[in-house]
Amino acid sequence: MHEIKALIRDIPDFPKNGIIFKDITPVLQDPKAFKKVIDLFRERYVNQNIQKIAAIESRGFIFGAPLAYALNIGFVVLRKPGKLPYRTFREEYELEYGTDAIEIHQDAFEHGERVVLIDDLLATGGTALAAANLLQKAGAELVELAFLIELSFLNGRAKLTDHNVFSFVSF
Ligand code: AMP
């Protein structure tokens, strides 16, 4: 994990002044590191009777889809408004930099399916809380929210006290 943490690059003032953006592209470009992240997530969930992985557009897809493949289970996408073609549920939320909304297909889950939600990074927790609400609306049993990176100084976990939260790397 130390090697992976060392590959996460700080980009100051992106996408706006005062934000230190955690750039994961060096992790993705390194085949050992990228594989390690997926393998570690897999090890955590392989014996937990998880039925689907859900992930948040867009960087959540980078980790969520290979994890679902590695676990041999289904993959559900949470997308920005207007992208999903079928009937959707929707949740509004606040970002560290702006506001947004996410949507899910209403038929994404069978009722009570055990689901892990994946995103690249937990900041203020607004996105993750909206995603958790959306999964519950869609009938999932949310087993855990999992992130590669947690910005612990932003205390996103305080918004997520109703849920299990896991991250590999903390800043
Ligand atoms: P939040 O809702 O504040 O927890 O923000 C989480 C979402 O915004 C995640 O999907 C991240 O990809 C993105 N994000 C927020 N802050 C940062 C940051 N400092 N560096 C990289 N991505 C970020």
Side-chain angles (χ1 to χ4, degrees), residues 116-138:
V116 171
L117 177 79
I118 302 284
D119 203 0
D120 65 326
L121 182 144
L122 175 63
T124 66
T127 312
L129 180 62
N133 292 340
L134 212 42
L135 294 194
Q136 284 173 331
K137 226 184 253 184

Side-chain angles (χ1 to χ4, degrees), residues 19-22 59 93-97 119-128 151:
I19 302 292
I20 299 176
F21 191 86
K22 295 292 181 188
R59 287 187 299 271
Y93 65 99
E94 286 184 19
L95 278 176
E96 193 183 355
Y97 39 84
D119 203 0
D120 65 326
L121 182 144
L122 175 63
T124 66
T127 312
L151 302 182

